[in-house]
Amino acid sequence: MTYRAPVRDIAFALEAIAGIDNVAATGAFPDYDTDVASAIIEAAGQFSQEVLAPLNRVGDLNPATISDGNVTASPGFADAYKQFAEGGWTSLTASVEAGGQALPKALELAAYETVHAANMAFGLCPMLSLASIEALEAVGTDYQREVYLPKLVSGEWTGAMVLTEPSAGSDLGALVATATPTADGKYLLNGQKIFITWGDHDATDNIVHLVLARLPDAPAGPKGISLFLASKFHLDADGNPTSHRNSFHPVGLEHKLGIHASPTCVMQYENAVAELVGRPNEGLAHMFVMMNAARLAVGVEGVGIAERAYQHALAYALERRQGTSIWTGQRNAPLFDLPDVRRMLVVMKSKIAAARAICFSTGVAADMARHAATEEERKIWKGREDLFTPIAKAWSTDVGCEVASLGVQVHGGMGFIEETGAAQYYRDARITPIYEGTNGIQAMDLVGRKLSMDSGESAKRLIEDMKVTLHQLASLYSGKPVERFANAIESVEDATLWLLDAKADKDRAADVLAGADSYLKLLGDVVGGWMLAKGALAAKAKLDANDGDAAWLQGKLDLYEAYAANVLGHVSSRLAGVGQGGDLLHRLTLEALAG
Amino acid sequence: MTYRAPVRDIAFALEAIAGIDNVAATGAFPDYDTDVASAIIEAAGQFSQEVLAPLNRVGDLNPATISDGNVTASPGFADAYKQFAEGGWTSLTASVEAGGQALPKALELAAYETVHAANMAFGLCPMLSLASIEALEAVGTDYQREVYLPKLVSGEWTGAMVLTEPSAGSDLGALVATATPTADGKYLLNGQKIFITWGDHDATDNIVHLVLARLPDAPAGPKGISLFLASKFHLDADGNPTSHRNSFHPVGLEHKLGIHASPTCVMQYENAVAELVGRPNEGLAHMFVMMNAARLAVGVEGVGIAERAYQHALAYALERRQGTSIWTGQRNAPLFDLPDVRRMLVVMKSKIAAARAICFSTGVAADMARHAATEEERKIWKGREDLFTPIAKAWSTDVGCEVASLGVQVHGGMGFIEETGAAQYYRDARITPIYEGTNGIQAMDLVGRKLSMDSGESAKRLIEDMKVTLHQLASLYSGKPVERFANAIESVEDATLWLLDAKADKDRAADVLAGADSYLKLLGDVVGGWMLAKGALAAKAKLDANDGDAAWLQGKLDLYEAYAANVLGHVSSRLAGVGQGGDLLHRLTLEALAG
């Protein structure tokens, strides 16, 4: 089964739903227009199909290896990475000064969807470089911006995010790695870090580590963490890597359920020479620049792996014949003609379309938060970006896992056989709800920070925007497809007010946290419906204007309707979950839960 | 992490919810009483903990192997199987004549939950023997009952179900293996069969294959299939295996996502000598005796693997410390004190309890269908067994996968590391919604055969029974926990009437099939709630009588409430899905679904 980049769907999500024309209209991207976007999506898709997709199973079967403190990437990966960098795929959004193409972030996400779909383990490598680039553009010193940034942007070097320690995972405030100042203004890093994705490899001749550690005089907890940069090889005066290796090394690779070709390193720092990035003790805030970019990127991974699983399942459903079609009466009909199989494929397709549009919309919001004309507008867009980031991450990755599981199911017994390939997506996808902040952390971020940062203003604005679409929807459908969206918006409204109310009362903090997961899922389900509704409206306009493939456009209308029937009804369950309260959970003690 | 059999929960589900006392009251099981039940659950649990659980990861890392047409089981499995058979675990329900203990099926399911939890790959071997025993008890010849049955019951030999072919999976009517009569009243089997679980191994000195094939004069399709028995080794006149091997062999083992220690064989039959079992051309009906037993057993696998995953996650949540407890203010508190982690554990626990009670209730119904006093009663219980079997299979295995996935999630990053063990449950569980009839097949069976076999009488009786519990529930709770159950029952009623109505109209066959999955999920969600509600009522009675561990009993009341908040609200979504209609799916053609 070959992956085929869904360029038409991607462009539709970017233009007709996420509204990337708003970004173009800011004038901040003089090199951007619709033709450029199409060309980039097309070219990215082609590269992903032709170079990355064929390596996907190779990497699964031949994980990265470690020997003598050096990691060797899976066969073919180093060469593919070189082609990838040469193709300019690491420089799409970076500034022109750093050698980048200064294109919108939303477009980069679109291009990367195809990369992650083709080869998720590969995609992680440039994904973390992009996050490093964002951090250095934001808070790097002049030297760092001159020396490291261009090499990261060109892809000659890669970047790694170095956060987690054995006793500091979700709670980074607990980390203990140290940074000791030296006489010449540098620092010596000491400590062990785990789960370092692509922390070492042989695909480039240098790797830049962005490492969280504590200064000697740092306060305890999250406010005593600083960000450092350590280069795998020491540089000469011209900024080129020498043969002298810095004193940090991978000491082990994890054996993982999936993404076998992505080396997950245990890294040991022993007086590794490093530079401070940004301000002392503000490392966590600086790292959040990277984290937010990475979170959205992980959401796109969810979309990509889901799309790959969907295509695989669809191909099987068309090829495998069994039974008689209830629609056509054809004997020995393809599985595609079994209503329950069709239903699974339709649910997969509609959830992918919703997740894709949510992620791209978050990208548009990020672009607008930087480049909209007025400060007021930028603030509004920033609120949208902040609100959507945990949804894009968590909801899309849940979709990734669910769709990959449905993909296995469509295959029946063959789905459980590794050679079929469906099982790999199921394994690979499972990491996405975990890393870059588990989906539980995302939910807490949403109801904690994101909902109260502006007293719920961004959430309320979202609700108003959805109501506008609801009114327009009556021009396309009558009855249930409209009622279901109306009901869904009302549930979001109820849940949001309930949470804001609970948040105002300190004694109800556990109530808020108990409902966090349900609230995120509620918002995801409903915003996903909103995305498809906007898609349906855009498709109808194109249909009326005779602009495009009618069957495909009509499909966008039907997909919303199928989503409304299969997903929007979840709201009553989510709403109940939001309000379940912390007391009930607290009562369920270990004694109560024992077998 | 060691598995600990949840004997108290198992006994509670069997006695207080599933009502195994009804079975005892029939007088058909003179050797059964509550003490016997307790002793058997306890002993099974101990064997599973001590012998089977330690082999679980061994088998995952060292799959069964094949060489020269012989399969060798994973290290330690053959010896464990011998101990298992010697312990009498293969003979619990078989008739006394066949050497069995003639105990209730529901009790056997309870014992086997611990086997599947401890080692799902191992449990499949005796599970398929039990299904073979049921078939031979039902339709075997005198010779077969004398020669094969006692060896299967004693566990000296194992049985295999041999159904699937490369072009005949869910649609067995398409199978092409042939059986040619010989002059001496036997048959020669020819053909290739795939997905034959434990089709060959070295744990016993003979294996009995029950094989579906076609007689020369058989009609095409499902009505031309007969059931045959082929012994791995030819028997001598005393019925003991000789050294002459029958001419069928494993020719390959599948590389699977999970259950690595369960050899999944490709079997080749080349003039294999076989006997007819039951009547010619009625093989599919005979096989359904095995299939129904196996389907319920797979449901119990779902419960077992979920319980194992839950225990693993709970242990991690108690051991791993991070952050401050919002409830106790404790710093460096266990994950267990994070509301979102507690919520996950509570959802896991409550769904396991619901699925367990559904499976055991199906077992009780099966026992009563055979042994209730009057024919009228037996018919009613048979209706309940038939209605519940697809729910027990599909809903419980969905729970198995969901809980195993939550188990990974509770572990955070560690969950993705294979050494942790959580990932194995996630991989192993994934087969259960697929084999013994995919969950889609179960849903079609439910809305197709099961709902109409008695014009919906069994479904309506279920609704009435649930309403009785609803009225009692008002003595325990007020407000939402009661409203949610009332609303849920109403949804089942609406959906059932809608389906019966649609089924009466031939033109609406696709509507029925389009809603099948949602209907099964709806029924599972609501019946699961009913089970927990019955558990809450029983626990309250025990609390009032001061009979048992108060914290644990109070937990049963709280678990129902948590389930009501987190699961029962799904009904509005399921209801929408039931009524989505086939037209919408039919409209979503390949052109509409293209990227």
Side-chain angles (χ1 to χ4, degrees):
Chain A
M1 165 61 206
T2 327
Y3 167 68
R4 202 181 53 73
V7 291
R8 194 167 50 159
D9 274 353
I10 289 176
F12 184 78
L14 201 57
E15 290 158 17
I17 307 183
I20 197 170
D21 50 336
N22 283 311
V23 178
T26 62
F29 300 98
D31 291 341
Y32 174 86
D33 62 30
T34 311
D35 290 341
V36 168
S38 299
I40 283 181
I41 297 167
E42 191 77 47
Q46 199 175 345
F47 186 88
S48 297
Q49 288 167 197
E50 292 174 7
V51 180
L52 302 180
L55 291 175
N56 192 45
R57 186 156 157 76
V58 174
D60 189 50
L61 293 173
N62 305 280
T65 54
I66 185 169
S67 158
D68 293 333
N70 289 292
V71 172
T72 304
S74 296
F77 277 60
D79 182 56
Y81 179 79
K82 285 185 180 72
Q83 292 181 56
F84 186 81
E86 281 161 14
W89 299 113
T90 54
S91 67
L92 292 171
T93 50
S95 63
V96 173
E97 305 82 67
Q101 303 172 57
L103 288 164
K105 182 172 194 61
L107 178 59
E108 183 180 70
L109 295 174
Y112 270 70
E113 180 199 311
T114 71
V115 175
H116 298 309
N119 196 324
M120 205 179 115
F122 176 94
L124 280 161
C125 183
M127 181 177 120
L128 291 168
S129 291
L130 295 185
S132 309
I133 290 168
E134 289 219 30
L136 291 183
E137 293 239 39
V139 294
T141 61
D142 288 346
Y143 176 79
Q144 287 159 358
R145 295 169 60 91
E146 263 168 49
V147 172
Y148 299 103
L149 198 52
K151 299 290 179 105
L152 288 169
V153 170
S154 70
E156 282 170 86
W157 301 349
T158 65
M161 283 172 70
V162 185
L163 292 71
T164 307
E165 296 178 8
S167 293
S170 297
D171 180 15
L172 285 171
L175 67 83
V176 295
T178 58
T180 315
T182 62
D184 59 351
K186 304 228 164 169
Y187 298 84
L188 297 179
L189 294 181
N190 282 283
Q192 190 178 78
K193 295 283 183 173
I194 61 170
F195 297 157
I196 309 308
T197 299
W198 287 91
D200 195 54
H201 59 79
D202 61 343
T204 56
D205 57 9
N206 197 23
I207 304 172
V208 175
H209 279 214
L210 290 174
V211 185
L212 290 182
R214 289 184 185 282
L215 289 167
D217 54 350
K223 289 179 178 165
I225 296 170
S226 306
L227 181 61
F228 299 89
L229 183 157
S231 173
K232 178 176 172 182
F233 289 98
H234 293 298
L235 305 184
D236 64 20
D238 299 327
N240 293 314
T242 65
S243 59
H244 298 290
R245 190 153 172 181
N246 202 346
S247 45
F248 62 90
H249 290 88
V251 293
L253 290 180
E254 305 292 356
H255 303 106
K256 305 190 300 295
L257 174 61
I259 51 167
H260 294 161
S262 168
T264 303
C265 303
V266 179
M267 297 292 311
Q268 193 73 40
Y269 299 80
E270 289 170 320
N271 290 324
V273 179
E275 304 165 25
L276 182 68
V277 179
R279 291 170 298 276
N281 296 334
E282 295 188 22
L284 226 45
H286 300 330
M287 190 56 103
F288 258 97
V289 175
M290 299 171 69
M291 290 269 278
N292 274 327
R295 285 173 173 187
L296 177 52
V298 171
V300 175
E301 281 189 317
V303 175
I305 196 83
E307 172 70 30
R308 182 83 185 257
Y310 165 73
Q311 290 189 16
H312 206 118
L314 177 61
Y316 186 79
L318 291 169
E319 171 198 313
R320 172 80 171 172
R321 290 167 178 279
Q322 199 142 155
T324 301
S325 170
I326 201 152
W327 284 310
T328 64
Q330 185 193 347
R331 303 183 82 166
N332 207 22
L335 289 186
F336 185 67
D337 262 12
L338 276 177
D340 192 59
V341 171
R342 184 82 61 100
R343 177 194 59 78
M344 286 193 270
L345 291 165
V346 165
V347 167
M348 293 162 87
K349 175 85 183 180
S350 62
K351 287 198 170 183
I352 293 166
R356 175 183 287 132
I358 289 175
C359 288
F360 293 176
S361 296
T362 312
V364 164
D367 286 322
M368 296 302 288
R370 288 188 189 181
H371 301 292
T374 68
E375 198 183 323
E376 175 62 16
E377 283 180 81
R378 289 195 293 274
K379 202 182 128 206
I380 290 173
W381 283 107
K382 178 72 182 153
R384 176 66 52 91
E385 180 196 359
D386 286 346
L387 190 69
F388 268 27
T389 297
I391 302 171
K393 196 280 180 181
W395 197 81
S396 305
T397 57
D398 282 346
V399 164
C401 289
E402 184 190 343
V403 168
S405 183
L406 283 169
V408 169
Q409 193 69 20
V410 168
H411 282 83
M414 293 305 297
F416 203 64
I417 308 299
E418 284 287 357
E419 282 84 352
T420 305
Q424 187 190 343
Y425 312 138
Y426 180 71
R427 291 187 284 101
D428 285 354
R430 192 61 190 81
I431 187 60
T432 60
I434 295 174
Y435 59 19
E436 300 305 337
T438 66
N439 286 2
I441 297 281
Q442 304 301 326
M444 287 190 260
D445 178 50
L446 177 65
V447 300
R449 235 162 50 83
K450 298 301 169 61
L451 204 57
S452 53
M453 60 188 176
D454 54 6
S455 314
E457 269 315 303
S458 292
K460 288 173 191 165
R461 183 165 285 114
L462 170 66
I463 291 165
E464 292 314 310
D465 285 355
M466 292 199 290
K467 283 182 182 170
V468 171
T469 302
L470 172 64
H471 292 306
Q472 296 167 339
L473 216 51
S475 69
L476 298 194
Y477 311 92
S478 60
K480 287 186 175 165
V482 181
E483 286 161 25
R484 283 173 182 150
F485 191 44
N487 187 29
I489 296 172
E490 201 181 306
S491 294
V492 169
E493 211 158 9
D494 288 353
T496 304
L497 294 177
W498 189 92
L499 278 171
L500 288 170
D501 202 47
K503 283 174 67 68
D505 181 350
K506 269 187 187 166
D507 293 340
R508 295 184 63 195
D511 285 351
V512 173
L513 291 174
D517 172 80
S518 293
Y519 184 68
L520 189 147
K521 291 192 164 104
L522 170 63
L523 224 51
D525 288 345
V526 180
V527 172
W530 180 40
M531 295 290 150
L532 296 187
K534 291 205 287 183
L537 288 162
K540 183 62 165 52
K542 281 174 190 283
L543 272 172
D544 289 346
N546 223 342
D547 171 17
D549 174 347
W552 178 77
L553 289 168
Q554 179 58 43
K556 303 302 172 206
L557 275 81
D558 293 335
L559 273 182
Y560 165 77
E561 201 177 331
Y563 183 94
N566 285 286
V567 184
L568 283 186
H570 284 310
V571 294
S572 76
S573 164
R574 310 301 193 204
L575 196 56
V578 170
Q580 67 186 291
D583 284 350
L584 176 60
L585 294 178
H586 193 204
R587 283 210 304 277
L588 282 156
T589 59
L590 192 55
E591 291 70 31
L593 292 175
Chain B
M1 163 64 204
T2 326
Y3 167 68
R4 202 182 53 73
V7 291
R8 195 168 49 159
D9 274 352
I10 288 176
F12 184 78
L14 201 57
E15 291 158 16
I17 307 183
I20 197 170
D21 49 338
N22 285 311
V23 179
T26 62
F29 300 98
D31 290 341
Y32 175 86
D33 63 28
T34 311
D35 290 342
V36 168
S38 298
I40 283 181
I41 297 168
E42 190 77 48
Q46 199 175 345
F47 185 87
S48 297
Q49 286 167 199
E50 291 174 8
V51 179
L52 302 180
L55 291 175
N56 191 46
R57 187 157 156 74
V58 173
D60 189 50
L61 292 173
N62 304 280
T65 54
I66 185 168
S67 156
D68 292 332
N70 289 292
V71 172
T72 304
S74 296
F77 277 60
D79 183 56
Y81 179 80
K82 285 184 180 72
Q83 293 181 57
F84 186 81
E86 282 161 15
W89 299 112
T90 53
S91 67
L92 292 171
T93 50
S95 63
V96 173
E97 303 82 69
Q101 304 172 57
L103 288 164
K105 183 173 193 61
L107 179 59
E108 184 180 69
L109 295 174
Y112 270 70
E113 181 199 309
T114 71
V115 174
H116 298 309
N119 196 323
M120 207 180 113
F122 176 94
L124 279 161
C125 183
M127 181 178 120
L128 291 169
S129 292
L130 295 184
S132 309
I133 290 168
E134 289 218 32
L136 291 183
E137 294 239 37
V139 294
T141 63
D142 288 347
Y143 176 80
Q144 288 159 359
R145 295 168 61 91
E146 263 168 47
V147 172
Y148 300 103
L149 199 51
K151 299 290 179 107
L152 288 168
V153 170
S154 70
E156 282 169 86
W157 301 349
T158 65
M161 284 172 69
V162 185
L163 292 71
T164 307
E165 297 179 8
S167 292
S170 297
D171 180 15
L172 285 171
L175 66 83
V176 296
T178 59
T180 314
T182 62
D184 58 352
K186 304 225 163 172
Y187 299 82
L188 296 180
L189 295 181
N190 282 282
Q192 191 178 78
K193 295 284 184 173
I194 60 170
F195 297 156
I196 309 309
T197 300
W198 286 91
D200 194 55
H201 60 80
D202 61 345
T204 55
D205 56 10
N206 197 23
I207 304 171
V208 175
H209 279 214
L210 289 174
V211 186
L212 290 182
R214 288 182 186 283
L215 289 166
D217 54 351
K223 289 177 178 167
I225 296 170
S226 306
L227 182 62
F228 299 89
L229 183 156
S231 172
K232 176 176 174 182
F233 289 98
H234 293 298
L235 306 184
D236 63 20
D238 299 327
N240 293 316
T242 65
S243 60
H244 296 291
R245 191 153 172 181
N246 203 345
S247 46
F248 63 88
H249 290 87
V251 294
L253 291 178
E254 305 292 355
H255 303 106
K256 306 189 301 295
L257 175 61
I259 50 166
H260 292 163
S262 168
T264 303
C265 303
V266 179
M267 297 292 311
Q268 193 73 40
Y269 299 79
E270 289 170 321
N271 290 323
V273 179
E275 305 163 24
L276 182 69
V277 180
R279 291 170 298 279
N281 297 335
E282 295 188 23
L284 226 45
H286 300 331
M287 191 56 104
F288 257 97
V289 175
M290 300 170 69
M291 291 269 278
N292 274 328
R295 285 174 174 186
L296 177 51
V298 171
V300 176
E301 281 189 316
V303 175
I305 196 83
E307 172 70 30
R308 182 84 187 258
Y310 165 73
Q311 290 190 17
H312 206 118
L314 177 61
Y316 186 79
L318 291 168
E319 171 199 313
R320 172 79 172 173
R321 291 167 178 279
Q322 199 143 153
T324 302
S325 169
I326 201 154
W327 285 311
T328 64
Q330 185 193 348
R331 303 182 81 163
N332 207 22
L335 289 187
F336 186 67
D337 263 13
L338 276 177
D340 193 58
V341 171
R342 183 82 62 99
R343 177 194 59 77
M344 285 193 270
L345 291 165
V346 165
V347 167
M348 293 161 85
K349 175 87 184 177
S350 63
K351 288 198 169 184
I352 293 167
R356 175 183 288 131
I358 288 174
C359 289
F360 293 177
S361 297
T362 312
V364 164
D367 286 322
M368 296 302 288
R370 288 188 189 181
H371 300 294
T374 68
E375 198 184 323
E376 174 61 16
E377 282 179 83
R378 289 194 293 275
K379 202 183 128 206
I380 290 173
W381 282 107
K382 179 70 181 155
R384 177 64 54 89
E385 180 196 1
D386 285 346
L387 190 68
F388 269 27
T389 297
I391 303 171
K393 196 279 179 180
W395 196 80
S396 305
T397 57
D398 281 346
V399 165
C401 289
E402 183 190 343
V403 168
S405 183
L406 283 169
V408 170
Q409 194 68 21
V410 168
H411 283 84
M414 291 306 294
F416 203 64
I417 308 301
E418 284 287 356
E419 282 84 351
T420 305
Q424 187 189 342
Y425 312 137
Y426 179 72
R427 290 187 284 101
D428 286 354
R430 191 62 190 81
I431 188 59
T432 60
I434 294 174
Y435 59 18
E436 300 304 338
T438 66
N439 286 1
I441 297 282
Q442 305 301 324
M444 286 189 260
D445 178 51
L446 177 64
V447 299
R449 236 161 50 83
K450 300 300 169 61
L451 204 57
S452 53
M453 59 187 176
D454 54 4
S455 313
E457 269 316 303
S458 293
K460 288 173 190 164
R461 184 166 284 114
L462 169 67
I463 291 165
E464 292 314 311
D465 286 355
M466 292 198 290
K467 283 182 180 169
V468 171
T469 304
L470 172 63
H471 292 306
Q472 296 167 339
L473 216 52
S475 68
L476 297 193
Y477 311 92
S478 60
K480 288 188 173 161
V482 181
E483 286 161 26
R484 281 175 182 149
F485 191 41
N487 186 30
I489 295 172
E490 202 182 305
S491 293
V492 169
E493 212 158 9
D494 289 352
T496 304
L497 294 177
W498 189 92
L499 278 171
L500 288 170
D501 202 47
K503 281 174 69 67
D505 181 349
K506 270 187 186 166
D507 292 342
R508 296 184 62 195
D511 285 352
V512 173
L513 292 174
D517 173 81
S518 292
Y519 184 68
L520 189 148
K521 290 192 166 103
L522 169 64
L523 223 52
D525 288 346
V526 180
V527 172
W530 181 40
M531 296 290 149
L532 296 187
K534 291 205 288 183
L537 288 162
K540 183 62 164 53
K542 282 175 189 282
L543 273 172
D544 289 347
N546 223 342
D547 171 18
D549 175 347
W552 178 76
L553 289 168
Q554 178 60 42
K556 303 301 173 207
L557 276 82
D558 292 335
L559 274 182
Y560 166 77
E561 201 176 330
Y563 183 93
N566 285 286
V567 184
L568 283 186
H570 283 310
V571 293
S572 75
S573 163
R574 309 302 194 206
L575 196 56
V578 170
Q580 67 187 292
D583 284 350
L584 176 60
L585 294 178
H586 193 203
R587 282 210 305 277
L588 282 156
T589 59
L590 191 56
E591 291 68 34
L593 292 175

